[in-house]
Amino acid sequence: MRETELILYTDCEEGSLLQNMSWLMENYDSEFYNREDKVSLLYECFHDLMSITAEHGFYGNLWHCYLTNLCVNHENAYSTACEIVGTIEGSINELALHDFTIFKEYFEYDFTDMFQKLQVTALSIMLHYEGSSSISKIYNDRIRTTICTTAVRLDEAKNPAEMKDIMTGFYRSFGVGKFGLHKAFRIIHKEENDQAEIIPILRIAHVHLDDLIGYEIAKQKLIDNTEAFVQGKKANNCLLFGDAGTGKSSSIKAIVNEYYDRGLRIIEVYKHQFKDLNDVIAQVKNRHYKFIIYMDDLSFEEFEIEYKYLKAVIEGGMEKKPDNVLIYATSNRRHLIKENYADKDDRREEDMHSGDTVQEKLSLVARFGVSIFFGAPTRAQFQTIVKQLAKKNQVRMSEPDLLAEANKWELSHGGLSGRTAQQFIDYLLGRQS
């Protein structure tokens, strides 16, 4: 086989399996190598394939799923161009067709003779593996199923050109690599190279905008800004502030779920990671997707200076923030940075220009073009939220009893808020038989 002749799809992740299988396809019948070594290598390949299958939740022809997974994750000049416009023009199509000719050979390879001559026919289970109910540790169910069904379509393709068209359609619909196949990310700092690595978050809350009851004006402001962003129009960084438990974080999660299919992605960043912001932005600025850098429960104490890194990234650094990146933050504080009355005391000896100190602290919030207030609901609004949540979750209780219990619950569980209402409904659901 011609794994070394690939032009675009080189250095594939998990590529050692592809290299080892290629070697076996060429040499399994050779008398130059002893049978025990070839059988040992084949079992090693099978072990690697089953490990990949367990992590990804693949089923069907595992060899085909593995090859398809290599294609959907490989970021190269062809795949990253297709994620933007779909079918592209130019000579790069000839290079892609060359590679898909090799992939076609891999898809059509018949393992029967190899398994028989090496006396490992039990391994044929990898060609019709049943495991569609297994859970993927890498993808959500929709992406996992799409990869498995795409593997079937690639196998049924009449020629390399048709395989290329199938993958082009996949790239256009889902994108390529981790940014194409996942919607939410976090970052970790790699000490060995002193760089930030963007890691997919595999399980996120499936909250949707319709699930958030109330705050219609606040939600609409967030929707309008995000809609402009995904359309490529001018949009602002957003600060969602207000009382605890009012749905600030849930609104941002819902926005990402709503606009994921239109190329919106979210990267969660914590306060101690602000030094990595420039590195993170550099990794995403040339991608087709729109990225929200999400900072939850953002606030700073007097002694914390991380806000200065954030100020420079939002506005004020030498390099312009790319058009495909916005910052969305939530906070219980309107001005983000803790202020003391002493900050306003012009008579302080330790700071002759205390007005400048106050302005420096307030300038961070000014760099969020849109500020959206989420206030605690009134009792009537709280009861409306409770009633709608109860109806949605099919809670079996009369309305008078429901509201009476809700009023008692909020008195000892954090007061009037959407979070308290949801916790009360969860409590009732836990008691239902």
Side-chain angles (χ1 to χ4, degrees), residues 78-97:
Y78 181 76
S79 60
T80 54
C82 289
E83 78 174 1
I84 299 175
V85 297
T87 303
I88 58 176
E89 303 293 334
S91 299
I92 195 170
N93 286 283
E94 297 177 23
L95 303 180
L97 189 59

Side-chain angles (χ1 to χ4, degrees), residues 12-60:
C12 295
E13 186 179 358
E14 301 160 347
S16 61
L17 173 57
L18 183 63
Q19 295 169 6
N20 290 336
M21 288 298 290
S22 297
W23 187 91
L24 283 167
M25 290 171 180
E26 292 181 350
N27 298 286
Y28 77 90
D29 200 23
S30 172
E31 296 181 359
F32 185 78
Y33 305 98
N34 68 61
R35 175 184 171 278
E36 288 74 17
D37 288 341
K38 290 183 287 188
V39 170
S40 176
L41 182 59
L42 181 56
Y43 273 105
E44 180 183 330
C45 289
F46 184 74
H47 175 270
D48 290 344
L49 184 60
M50 290 309 301
S51 296
I52 293 170
T53 296
E55 287 184 345
H56 294 75
F58 291 151
Y59 57 89

Side-chain angles (χ1 to χ4, degrees), residues 248-380:
K248 300 182 295 294
S249 300
S250 295
S251 294
I252 293 178
K253 294 172 187 175
I255 281 289
V256 175
N257 288 325
E258 182 77 17
Y259 289 96
Y260 164 68
D261 290 339
R262 294 172 61 181
L264 187 65
R265 304 293 185 264
I266 188 168
I267 303 174
E268 187 171 31
V269 178
Y270 294 102
K271 186 165 53 177
H272 68 277
Q273 299 172 318
F274 283 178
K275 290 183 180 181
D276 289 323
L277 279 174
N278 284 323
D279 191 11
V280 170
I281 291 174
Q283 294 180 48
V284 303
K285 66 181 180 180
N286 294 321
R287 297 306 297 265
H288 172 58
Y289 311 102
K290 305 292 185 181
F291 292 91
I292 288 175
I293 295 180
Y294 169 49
M295 304 167 182
D296 191 30
D297 198 18
L298 187 63
S299 64
F300 301 93
E301 299 299 325
E302 266 192 305
F303 57 86
E304 294 177 314
I305 62 170
E306 288 89 347
Y307 72 92
K308 295 186 179 182
Y309 294 106
L310 181 56
K311 284 172 60 178
V313 168
I314 294 178
E315 183 183 327
M318 290 295 294
E319 183 177 7
K320 177 180 178 290
K321 183 168 64 66
D323 292 335
N324 70 328
V325 174
L326 283 183
I327 294 175
Y328 281 14
T330 69
S331 179
N332 294 337
R333 290 179 177 172
R334 173 65 179 88
H335 295 298
L336 299 179
I337 303 170
K338 183 179 180 181
E339 293 182 88
N340 295 318
Y341 283 108
D343 290 338
K344 304 178 183 300
D345 188 355
D346 289 338
R347 294 170 298 178
R348 287 187 304 153
E349 295 181 0
E350 64 269 23
D351 189 350
M352 295 180 64
H353 303 284
S354 60
D356 292 345
T357 302
V358 175
Q359 287 303 313
E360 181 187 25
K361 290 185 174 183
L362 295 181
S363 65
L364 175 59
V365 72
R367 300 191 182 198
F368 289 88
V370 174
S371 295
I372 305 173
F373 176 63
F374 284 72
T378 64
R379 183 164 300 279

